């Protein structure tokens, strides 16, 4: 058996830039595990990012997202473009790994040197995306992938984080699914840029298109009106039409600097999201290690102290901040 290749910071960054699959796999594992080397790596390759176009694909389980992505990959590879695919799955409660593993429906592309596919688990992170998803997109971007598909499970209001990473968000729905219509009513229609109704042969397909169109008609203010595309992903039907709509949305974003403005907002939001996660971890450790802070929580639980007073005292002690308005404590 060949010895496992050990990467240094320099060789890993060079391997990522060269698009080496082993280097990419190792880099993403480091990112997922929040290894110190991962921070150095992303720092090293960050200047090489900003070229990949990210397409988020979301929707309820079982609507054919993986099959749809497989068909889209086949279509764009025909024009020679390189592709990365990130499939974010629910985590196993036991191993914390991706519950569904690498997608069988994407297996046709595993041996294609122009395609890199990776599954990762959410590890309990709310919002449908692994916390490492943005960093993984950056790594694939630095590796020269022209397109990155990001698949997430779920289409409720809690599964909207894909919008903070993807340039274009595709929502996949399936006719005859009550969950899909509930998703429409729940406000999910604020998220997609392109809507796919998969299984075009289904008797309820056209009815669903009309229902979705009626929901979209309520929005009178948006500059972009999401198009609706009927597909049959397993047969590749209407995939060129779907890709055309994605390209139209990209052209819309690239006009008048909208794409760079949107990416700027996303990156700034990610800075705050990661900072919030780090602050939360620090706060939890501080409370766990401090008997006085633990006593405050006990008093809240026993209803001897109200929660906001406890917040104020904890924030003052841990962060030297006023717990009500976040100003510097005096």
């Amino acid at each position: 058996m060949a010895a496992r290749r050990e990467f240094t910071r320099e060789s890993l960054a060079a391997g990522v830039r060269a698009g080496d699959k082993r280097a990419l796999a190792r880099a993403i594992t480091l990112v997922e595990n929040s290894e110190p080397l991962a921070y150095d790596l992303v720092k090293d390759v960050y200047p090489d990012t900003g070229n990949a176009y990210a397409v988020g694909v979301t929707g309820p389980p079982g609507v054919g997202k993986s099959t749809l992505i497989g068909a889209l990959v086949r279509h764009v590879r025909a024009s020679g473009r390189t592709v990365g695919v990130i499939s974010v799955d629910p985590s196993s409660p036991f191993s914390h790994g991706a519950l569904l593993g690498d997608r069988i429906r994407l297996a046709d592309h595993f041996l294609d040197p122009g395609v890199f596919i990776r599954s990762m688990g959410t590890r309990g992170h709310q919002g449908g995306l692994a916390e490492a998803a943005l960093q993984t997109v950056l790594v694939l971007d630095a590796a020269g992938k022209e397109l990155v598909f990001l698949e997430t499970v779920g289409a409720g209001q809690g599964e909207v984080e894909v919008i903070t990473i993807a340039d274009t968000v595709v929502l996949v729905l399936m006719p005859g699914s009550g969950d899909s219509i509930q998703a429409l009513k729940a406000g999910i229609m604020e998220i997609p840029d392109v809507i796919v109704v998969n299984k075009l042969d289904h008797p309820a397909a056209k009815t669903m298109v009309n229902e979705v169109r009626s929901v979209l008609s309520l929005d009178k203010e948006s500059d972009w009106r999401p198009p609706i595309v009927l597909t049959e992903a397993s047969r590749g039907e209407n995939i060129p039409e779907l890709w055309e709509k994605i390209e139209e949305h990209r052209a819309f974003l690239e006009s008048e600097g909208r794409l760079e403005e949107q990416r700027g907002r996303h990156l700034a939001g990610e800075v705050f999201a990661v900072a919030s996660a780090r602050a939360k971890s620090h706060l939890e450790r501080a409370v766990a290690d401090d008997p006085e802070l633990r006593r405050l929580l006990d008093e809240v639980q026993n209803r001897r102290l109200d929660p906001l007073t406890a917040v104020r005292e904890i924030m003052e002690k841990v962060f030297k901040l006023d717990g009500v308005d976040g100003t510097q404590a005096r």
Side-chain angles (χ1 to χ4, degrees), residues 106-176:
L106 292 168
D108 291 347
H109 303 292
F110 283 145
L111 298 180
D112 184 340
V115 179
F116 184 87
I117 299 169
R118 179 63 173 253
S119 286
M120 61 173 59
T122 58
R123 304 192 179 197
H125 180 58
Q126 297 300 311
L129 285 185
E131 290 186 7
L134 174 65
Q135 285 79 4
T136 302
V137 171
L138 292 174
V139 168
L140 292 173
D141 188 353
K145 300 304 180 190
E146 297 167 81
L147 298 164
V148 176
F149 291 97
L150 181 64
E151 176 187 358
T152 70
V153 174
Q157 282 180 303
E159 308 293 336
V160 301
E161 252 187 0
V162 66
I163 199 174
T164 67
I165 295 179
D167 298 313
T168 295
V169 178
V170 177
L171 173 64
V172 187
L173 301 172
M174 187 171 68

Side-chain angles (χ1 to χ4, degrees), residues 11 19 22 58 62 68 78 88 93 118 133 142 151 163 183 214-215 221 240 276 288 297 307-308:
S11 66
R22 273 191 197 174
T58 190
L68 189 74
V88 183
R118 179 63 173 253
E151 176 187 358
I163 199 174
S214 68
V215 173
E221 299 179 3
S276 298
L297 293 182
L308 287 183

Side-chain angles (χ1 to χ4, degrees), residues 305-321:
L305 182 69
D306 69 280
L308 287 183
T309 299
V311 167
R312 180 191 292 273
E313 295 192 31
I314 290 172
M315 295 293 282
E316 285 180 353
K317 183 163 186 179
V318 177
F319 294 120
K320 305 297 187 288
L321 296 173

Side-chain angles (χ1 to χ4, degrees), residues 34-51:
S34 299
E35 298 282 349
L37 181 55
Y39 298 107
D40 293 331
L41 171 68
V42 174
K43 178 180 178 181
D44 290 344
V45 303
Y46 188 69
D48 302 298
T49 64
N51 301 308

